[in-house]
Amino acid sequence: MVEKIVSGGQTGADRAALDFAIEAGIPHGGWCPRGRFAEDGRIDLRYELKETPDSSYAQRTEWNARDSDGTVIFSLAEVLSGGSALTGALARRHGRPSLHLSRATFSEAEAAARLREFIEEFGIRSLNVAGPRASNEFDVGGFVRRTLKLALSN
């Protein structure tokens, strides 16, 4: 059912989602800050992202939540903080459903099952994937990729 994966291009959860989409042949896109800035430097052009007018992460986060059918926020920690918490609040502000999947709470198989249910329940075609950057939760990218593969691969 998912026709496009959207993310902001930051290291960690965002980048893992975009890499998964490319490998799986799923169209991808989304908004990134003006200048294509991420914590590891400029976001590679292989990621088909559009730059927001502002260089702030908050604008990128809001526009990805706003322009998607729904948002899944991955984390290793049980409680969201920083930009990940902001993502959920912005999705709610724009009337978009969101789902938090924490590795502290769910196995990858359980997380994948919940994600499939979320996608089906809300008819998600454009899925915004968000979560912590790699410097905050080093292995969040692995959790994202493995869960997306279980949930979305045929």
Side-chain angles (χ1 to χ4, degrees), residues 111-129:
R114 292 210 182 234
L115 180 55
R116 281 191 302 273
E117 291 168 5
F118 173 75
I119 290 165
E120 290 174 19
E121 178 181 352
F122 293 101
I124 307 291
R125 293 186 178 182
S126 177
L127 178 66
N128 180 32
V129 180

Side-chain angles (χ1 to χ4, degrees), residues 96-112:
R96 302 290 192 263
S98 65
L99 172 68
H100 174 213
L101 296 174
S102 165
R103 191 173 74 182
T105 307
F106 302 109
S107 70
E108 289 165 6
E110 292 168 331

Side-chain angles (χ1 to χ4, degrees), residues 2-22 26-32 49 57 60-75 80 83-88 91 96-101 115 118-119 124-133 140-149 151-152:
V2 170
E3 297 172 0
K4 184 176 187 178
I5 291 181
V6 171
S7 205
Q10 183 58 270
T11 64
D14 290 10
R15 198 86 50 87
L18 296 172
D19 288 339
F20 166 79
I22 291 168
I26 299 171
H28 71 278
W31 294 99
C32 66
L49 305 176
Y57 290 128
R60 172 238 24 220
T61 299
E62 180 166 15
W63 287 20
N64 283 331
R66 175 197 71 189
D67 294 348
S68 299
D69 297 325
T71 296
V72 59
I73 307 164
F74 287 90
S75 71
L80 293 175
S84 298
L86 176 64
T87 301
R96 302 290 192 263
S98 65
L99 172 68
H100 174 213
L101 296 174
L115 180 55
F118 173 75
I119 290 165
I124 307 291
R125 293 186 178 182
S126 177
L127 178 66
N128 180 32
V129 180
R133 60 183 64 194
V140 72
F143 179 53
V144 170
R145 286 174 71 126
R146 292 185 297 270
T147 302
L148 289 175
K149 184 175 182 178
L152 301 179

